Amino acid sequence: MDVIPEELLILVFSYLDLTSLSFCEQVCKYWNLILSSESQNCLFQVIDVFSTHNSIAPPFEWTLRKAVNHKTKELIIGGSNYKRTEVILLIDSCANSLISLDLSFFHLKQSFYQTISNKNSIILEKLTICDARLRDECLEWILKIGTLKYLNVNNNTSLVGKPFLTCQKPLEALWFEGCENLEYENILPYVTAYGDRMDEFGIDGENYSSYQVCTLLSNVLLIKKFSIGFANEMQDEMLYYLIKTTWEYLKIKKGINLTENGFSEIFSQRLNNLEYLELAECSAISDKVCILIGENCPNLHTLIITWSDFITDLGIISIINGCESLRNFDLTGQKCITENAFPIDKPYKIYFSLLTLYLSQCNKVNDSRLWELSNQYPQIKIKNYYGEFKEGW
Amino acid sequence: MFYNFNKIEEVKIRLRSAEGHICEVEESAALMSSFIRSMIEGFNEVTEVSLPNINSVVIEKVIEYMRHYKDKDPPIIKKPIISSKMEENTSAWDAGFIDADWNMVVDLMTAADYLMMIPLRDLCCAKMACKFKGRSIDELRAEYHIENEFPSEMEENLEFQHPWRLE
């Protein structure tokens, strides 16, 4: 084991998750020396306790020691099994070095956010608190954190948004997906004043009219990432605000009143930067839109088009030809496509980059073609009609 | 002036291995290595580079990688890796390329580091990480023939620090 130089071994370790690292630390003295040294190395700059690939999180004391010793910059503990008191202690101990913090699912009291906000030396820029039953009182303290640039409070249904009326702090990113009680009147003045500095914006459309969303969008013309969940009420006028070439991330969910023409306008231009595109339950997406996506979005990593009524094999084939670096492709609920949408007559580039292909509830897709595809390109995880992976077919 | 580009043959770079064997590779592919690039750019008309600490089997493997990625960018492997299977972390070609025994991966990694080919070095590192991921302490010790070097009281201390390891 001594043959590998230290700097290369550190690089190897940098590809491992926390739990694996905590095992490696106990294997031999050489590894222990590298992993438990007090000197700061790159390995624990990011501590991700909640990684979906971890079944067990390392013990709290271990994480705490690493975070403090290595002056961790990014801490992701949302969704972990640590206790609330432990989380508070952990953040308190390394608050001065943290730049990014993910606290999702932890329902913490107002006093906690008050303490964080009152720390003089805090340099926190990015805060993610999804599904945490966050209330306006907490948000008020959060918005007082002087260095904050990015705020994601998705799925906090108790938020009404009052603190934004008095907030005078420009943020670069604001995510409110699933905050169904956030009032339009509370955020409009803020978005009007500071929207031109935003890069990312995500809202829940359920209680907003199409006109209201258009007004918000007209104030955030420079955003590169946008998401609207529950776009039931939205009309095509909203889509016209989305016509620009700089998109990196675009998500429109349940746009049932949006039409083919509206979508065509967006995808008629070259979208070289677009990496993530989700058009879930937008029934009007047609072959024409798919062909435009295939032609104009060459760098997509993730494409989700679910439950639309008109897409046939033609549309999917043009995506297969065009989006050569696609990794995740979700076509759940496409009733008109058949197995011929995935030709195997030649080695299309997309098959080499693809990692997941979801065809749940696509009732005309025959398993035999998927079987062949899966044998030829074993790295692709394919879900069939029943939502099963290959083992279950 | 008219050039017939088809007729111009590409310059070949000769790589001399530890055993003294010569392996030839097209210049455009060899430039992937910042080390070779600096040799070529530093000394005019250099066509032979001596690599006394890399054996020819490893050089052939490096050349295979250079030729494959001559005109395109290798995929970037995300940290942390998501699986102990290489196919799930990177492209099928890369996974197949690096599917080699432990010593080969180590040699390739040190060679890539020496030649300053960062994508290849990272691929090797990720492959090694795959071999470590999800293994218990005893499995790791057995696999890499590491004896338990910790004195028993230190072991107890470690167990105290890592109470879940017995689970």
Side-chain angles (χ1 to χ4, degrees):
Chain A
M1 208 35 68
D2 298 353
V3 292
I4 307 173
E6 180 175 337
E7 64 273 15
L8 286 178
L9 201 51
I10 287 178
L11 257 175
V12 173
F13 287 145
S14 74
Y15 281 93
L16 287 171
D17 53 86
L18 274 193
T19 309
S20 301
L21 284 177
S22 71
F23 285 142
C24 288
E25 188 180 300
Q26 301 166 71
V27 169
C28 64
K29 281 187 176 170
Y30 181 45
W31 290 15
N32 188 276
L33 188 73
I34 289 173
L35 284 166
S36 66
S37 68
E38 304 276 309
S39 67
Q40 293 167 39
N41 57 40
C42 60
L43 293 175
F44 301 101
Q45 293 290 297
V46 179
I47 289 197
D48 181 357
V49 179
F50 178 72
S51 157
T52 46
H53 318 294
N54 267 347
S55 46
I56 37 162
F60 172 71
E61 290 75 19
W62 189 83
T63 311
L64 178 66
R65 204 165 59 236
K66 294 295 171 206
V68 175
N69 285 349
H70 295 282
K71 299 208 179 347
T72 293
K73 291 197 178 108
E74 189 176 343
L75 186 60
I76 303 163
I77 39 178
S80 69
N81 56 356
Y82 293 165
K83 296 190 194 86
R84 239 194 297 179
T85 46
E86 291 175 337
V87 168
I88 294 173
L89 176 64
L90 184 59
I91 296 167
D92 206 46
S93 312
C94 58
N96 295 341
S97 64
L98 279 184
I99 291 175
S100 170
L101 174 63
D102 183 331
L103 271 177
S104 301
F105 306 103
F106 278 108
H107 177 44
L108 300 170
K109 290 196 183 116
Q110 184 190 345
S111 56
F112 166 77
Y113 293 106
Q114 187 176 355
T115 327
I116 293 285
S117 179
N118 283 336
K119 278 185 193 288
N120 287 327
S121 47
I122 195 152
I123 51 168
L124 194 67
E125 289 179 8
K126 187 172 173 182
L127 188 57
T128 307
I129 318 170
C130 305
D131 300 82
R133 287 183 279 157
L134 203 66
R135 303 165 66 89
D136 271 5
E137 299 91 86
C138 304
L139 188 64
E140 196 166 346
W141 287 110
I142 291 169
L143 290 174
K144 284 181 183 161
I145 300 174
T147 48
L148 199 66
K149 287 182 185 159
Y150 174 109
L151 181 63
N152 181 339
V153 289
N154 288 350
N155 299 326
N156 287 290
T157 46
S158 337
L159 284 183
V160 183
K162 278 252 161 58
F164 277 103
L165 286 173
T166 51
C167 176
Q168 296 190 340
K169 208 189 122 38
L171 291 170
E172 288 167 16
L174 255 182
W175 292 90
F176 296 120
E177 274 179 46
C179 299
E180 54 193 27
N181 290 312
L182 195 77
E183 279 176 22
Y184 173 70
E185 288 75 19
N186 289 340
I187 56 164
L188 180 66
Y190 180 83
V191 172
T192 314
Y194 301 107
D196 56 346
R197 305 190 199 181
M198 276 189 208
D199 283 335
E200 305 175 16
F201 189 47
I203 46 168
D204 186 273
E206 193 165 24
N207 293 320
Y208 297 166
S209 71
S210 192
Y211 174 75
Q212 286 174 329
V213 171
C214 289
T215 314
L216 289 173
L217 278 172
S218 67
N219 284 299
V220 290
L221 289 173
L222 297 176
I223 50 170
K224 295 180 184 127
K225 300 188 180 183
F226 175 67
S227 153
I228 178 162
F230 293 98
N232 303 24
E233 300 291 321
M234 300 306 125
Q235 305 293 331
D236 275 355
E237 54 178 351
M238 182 195 82
L239 295 177
Y240 297 128
Y241 282 95
L242 302 180
I243 300 175
K244 57 175 162 182
T245 54
T246 48
W247 288 119
E248 292 170 8
Y249 177 109
L250 195 55
K251 175 175 169 185
I252 301 169
K253 204 172 167 188
K254 289 203 177 165
I256 47 175
N257 290 317
L258 304 171
T259 69
E260 180 187 23
N261 283 340
F263 284 114
S264 303
E265 295 277 347
I266 297 180
F267 299 107
S268 300
Q269 357 138 58
R270 196 78 182 155
L271 295 163
N272 276 332
N273 299 327
L274 192 62
E275 292 192 345
Y276 181 104
L277 177 61
E278 177 170 351
L279 302 167
E281 296 168 66
C282 296
S283 46
I285 303 283
S286 63
D287 282 347
K288 184 183 165 195
V289 181
C290 288
I291 291 170
L292 288 170
I293 292 174
E295 277 173 8
N296 290 323
C297 309
N299 295 316
L300 276 179
H301 280 175
T302 301
L303 178 57
I304 302 170
I305 304 179
T306 58
W307 302 103
S308 48
D309 299 334
F310 310 111
I311 298 181
T312 67
D313 294 350
L314 185 71
I316 305 301
I317 288 176
S318 52
I319 288 173
I320 297 224
N321 275 313
C323 305
E324 293 183 342
S325 47
L326 202 61
R327 292 197 197 136
N328 306 303
F329 198 9
D330 185 345
L331 287 167
T332 302
Q334 299 298 352
K335 303 276 185 209
C336 302
I337 62 168
T338 71
E339 62 275 10
N340 295 329
F342 308 98
I344 46 173
D345 54 324
K346 48 179 185 174
Y348 295 90
K349 280 189 182 166
I350 188 175
Y351 294 141
F352 294 96
S353 62
L354 211 56
L355 294 174
T356 59
L357 176 62
Y358 291 168
L359 299 166
S360 311
Q361 304 294 319
C362 298
N363 49 1
K364 288 189 186 155
V365 179
N366 193 327
D367 275 5
S368 61
R369 171 63 57 86
L370 300 184
W371 185 263
E372 283 175 61
L373 192 66
S374 173
N375 283 342
Q376 275 192 36
Y377 306 98
Q379 92 284 2
I380 312 180
K381 290 197 162 179
I382 306 177
K383 269 189 189 172
N384 71 353
Y385 172 77
Y386 299 102
E388 293 167 335
F389 289 112
K390 193 178 176 184
E391 297 76 33
W393 298 351
Chain B
M1 295 277 277
F2 294 98
Y3 289 105
N4 185 348
F5 284 97
N6 293 332
K7 280 196 174 166
I8 297 175
E9 229 178 66
E10 200 182 343
V11 179
K12 296 256 172 122
I13 302 292
R14 293 149 60 87
L15 303 177
R16 187 183 287 275
S17 73
E19 304 95 321
H21 290 304
I22 297 285
C23 308
E24 281 195 328
V25 60
E26 301 74 37
E27 183 177 2
S28 60
L31 289 178
M32 259 189 93
S33 152
S34 306
F35 177 78
I36 296 176
R37 177 188 287 268
S38 65
M39 293 292 270
I40 294 172
E41 286 171 359
F43 308 93
N44 277 340
E45 292 177 24
V46 164
T47 52
E48 187 175 312
V49 178
S50 184
L51 303 168
N53 43 8
I54 307 177
N55 67 42
S56 39
V57 183
V58 176
I59 290 184
E60 286 296 341
K61 194 83 177 156
V62 170
I63 289 174
E64 186 190 343
Y65 187 87
M66 283 172 163
R67 288 202 175 119
H68 185 79
Y69 284 116
K70 193 169 68 169
D71 306 313
K72 53 193 174 221
D73 289 334
I76 292 166
I77 302 168
K78 277 202 175 154
K79 294 180 185 186
I81 48 168
I82 55 170
S83 158
S84 56
K85 286 187 191 137
M86 208 53 197
E87 302 82 45
E88 293 172 20
N89 296 314
T90 186
S91 70
W93 191 88
D94 277 14
F97 173 82
I98 202 67
D99 187 21
D101 65 36
W102 172 262
N103 289 335
M104 183 67 193
V105 178
V106 174
D107 289 349
L108 203 53
M109 179 168 75
T110 40
D113 190 46
Y114 180 77
L115 291 168
M116 293 192 266
M117 292 171 66
I118 290 168
L120 178 58
R121 186 199 64 189
D122 288 354
L123 178 65
C124 298
C125 288
K127 172 70 185 179
M128 260 190 208
C130 277
K131 292 177 185 252
F132 297 164
K133 189 182 165 68
R135 302 291 180 87
S136 73
I137 301 154
D138 292 331
E139 280 171 345
L140 284 167
R141 279 187 190 147
E143 182 124 359
Y144 304 111
H145 310 292
I146 299 167
E147 283 186 28
N148 186 1
E149 299 164 335
F150 296 106
S152 54
E153 68 265 40
M154 193 173 170
E155 182 90 338
E156 270 169 32
N157 190 20
L158 278 173
E159 263 168 40
F160 173 73
Q161 286 175 11
H162 305 271
W164 81 110
R165 60 171 291 195
L166 297 173
E167 283 165 20

